[in-house]
Amino acid sequence: MNAHATRSTLLLVDDEPHSLTAMRMALEDEFEILTANGADEALQALEKEWVHAIFCDQRMPGRSGVEFLTEVRDRWPETVRVIITGYTDASAMMAAINDAGIHQFLTKPWHPDQLMIAARNAVRLFQLARENERLVLEMRYLANTAKTRLERRRKALQEGAGFEAISRAPASPMNLTVDHARRYASFDLSVLIHGETGTGKARLARAMHLGSLHSDKPFYTFNLAGVPSDLAAIHLFGAKRGVLPGGVYKVGLMQKADRGTLYLTGIEHAPVDIQLALLRVLTEGTFTPVGGQEMLDTNVRLLTGTSADLAALVAAGRFLPDLFHALSVGQVSVPPLRQRRCDIAILAQQHLAELSLAHGKPLRGFTPAALDFLENYDWPGNLRELIGEVTRMLVFAQDEILGAELISRHILQSLPGNPARDGALDPVLVTDGSLKERVEQMETRILRETLARHRWNKSRAAGELGLSRVGLRAKLERYGIMDPSGRGDDEDEED
């Protein structure tokens, strides 16, 4: 590589040849030198070469040094401009600084050391300007990149854990619930989420937080069920020093969740003193830590969840009517899983994928018969019960596809195709109908459950039930029970 390739380039402009020669001799040991005997020749050089600094005489035929450097400033603003003059008129200097952006004046006669120092300073200024420009561009890029990443992350978070993460079928009753929750989310209102235990109220509350103006602030949850009043007050409102052992100061959720969202589930269990304190938070935006006297401000958004009929509790005098009205400015009802049968296959598959990944056991899905049983069970424990059942199936699974034989017996004994009935046998015992009809219902369920557990091996099922294969086949034909896999009786495996 050429040793001069990394050296800075200077353009010397003067109409006197001996002046150009003298400047070249003073600077050429350290810099690459270009020369021009006037403004026109200098412009041609600038169009061809990358120049770091220009040393130009002021008095030249045609255009003066200031006129030439003014054009340079417009076309090549990064090039440092130094003018050499034999005159020291202050007004002329100011005009040159304003018009041409002159970095430095050198007066004639100049000394070689003076010229070298000026050249080094000019080049250094050029390098600093370029470095500053690079840093500015880099900071802009990093800022834009960070902003883009933050927006992308926030969007992914909202989509991953927000409303889009609430799995449901196109015709699901849950769609109306999500639509209402999405509308309430963007308004800074208190919302009461009502639904049976295990229906996913907390997930809906988190989705509302992520879809709100508080999405970049904290989200906290607290369950009031079974928590004594004094302990609930400490958790919610904090405690001054001296209240708790060790003399520590406890920061409550109202302070932690300031400008964020606090989701309180089991609100029907809140004692009266907690209800009064919550009412103050909602109406005045203030609270008092346990053991304190001062009022602290909070701008928390309060979402509450309940599985009880709060209006009935108000009527019974067990819940403050003012708090009920303050909490239920917006109301969202989450349907139980028995009303979302079209969602069960989707939910089961979703949770199976999550559990499979969490436990490191790769599984692909469910057999049609397994889904048939899952979809026709009423799930009194809702999503929690479904997740528990899928977990048990995963534990005992031997194949990548989970079959009906892995399902718990009380679910297998449910009656497919009749969503109105509960999955347990008890309703059969108290329902209307003749003894023969009710016995047939029980017998049908027992047959299906036993066959499912034995993977429709009729020999084994018959043996467990104390029937012959012929007797079992007759009962199956009588009740219209068929192997969901479509296998015929001649394909049945023998013991």
Side-chain angles (χ1 to χ4, degrees), residues 443-444 446-448 451 456-458 461 465 467 469-483 489:
E443 194 171 32
T444 299
I446 293 172
L447 288 170
R448 287 184 60 86
L451 284 164
W456 288 82
N457 185 305
K458 299 181 183 65
L465 296 172
L467 299 172
R469 285 173 54 85
V470 174
L472 176 61
R473 188 185 309 117
K475 288 184 177 294
L476 297 181
E477 291 176 356
R478 176 182 177 184
Y479 298 131
I481 301 174
M482 300 191 332
D483 186 345
D489 191 61

Side-chain angles (χ1 to χ4, degrees), residues 12 40 63 84 115 218 222 250 263 273 284 435 487:
L12 312 178
D40 294 338
R63 279 185 288 180
I84 302 173
L115 188 66
F222 184 69
K250 170 74 174 180
Y263 172 63
D273 57 336
E284 301 176 12
L435 174 63
R487 292 186 308 170

Side-chain angles (χ1 to χ4, degrees), residues 23 27 54-58 81-88 93 102-119 121:
M23 286 192 291
L27 300 172
I54 300 174
F55 285 75
C56 180
D57 187 32
Q58 164 61 5
R81 298 165 294 281
V82 179
I83 199 164
I84 302 173
T85 179
Y87 303 90
T88 57
M93 289 183 181
I102 300 300
H103 167 63
Q104 185 177 357
F105 282 87
L106 289 179
T107 58
K108 294 180 179 180
W110 46 262
H111 190 277
D113 291 342
Q114 180 188 19
L115 188 66
M116 177 61 75
I117 292 173
N121 289 339

Side-chain angles (χ1 to χ4, degrees), residues 309-326:
D309 185 351
L310 285 189
L313 294 180
V314 170
R318 294 166 53 193
F319 203 87
L320 296 177
D322 288 345
L323 179 60
F324 170 69
H325 296 306

Side-chain angles (χ1 to χ4, degrees), residues 6 27 58-59 157 161 179 246 248 300 356 362 388 472 483 488 492:
T6 58
L27 300 172
Q58 164 61 5
R59 290 192 173 265
L157 183 63
D179 179 65
V248 297
V300 64
S356 176
L472 176 61
D483 186 345
D492 188 19

Side-chain angles (χ1 to χ4, degrees), residues 12 26 86 97 100 135 155 217 258 293 309 326 333 354 369 377 379-380 399 466:
L12 312 178
I97 293 173
L135 290 174
K155 182 179 180 181
K217 303 301 179 183
D258 186 30
Q293 299 295 328
D309 185 351
S333 180
E354 294 174 357
Y377 177 61
W379 301 106
D399 302 317

Side-chain angles (χ1 to χ4, degrees), residues 417-469:
N418 190 355
R421 291 193 180 273
D422 190 273
L425 288 175
D426 290 345
V428 176
L429 302 177
V430 298
T431 190
D432 295 332
S434 67
L435 174 63
K436 178 182 178 182
E437 291 172 341
R438 292 157 71 181
V439 168
E440 287 178 351
Q441 290 183 28
M442 295 177 64
E443 194 171 32
T444 299
R445 297 186 185 190
I446 293 172
L447 288 170
R448 287 184 60 86
E449 178 265 326
T450 305
L451 284 164
R453 280 192 294 107
H454 290 290
R455 299 190 181 188
W456 288 82
N457 185 305
K458 299 181 183 65
S459 298
R460 294 176 183 172
E464 178 180 319
L465 296 172
L467 299 172
S468 66
R469 285 173 54 85

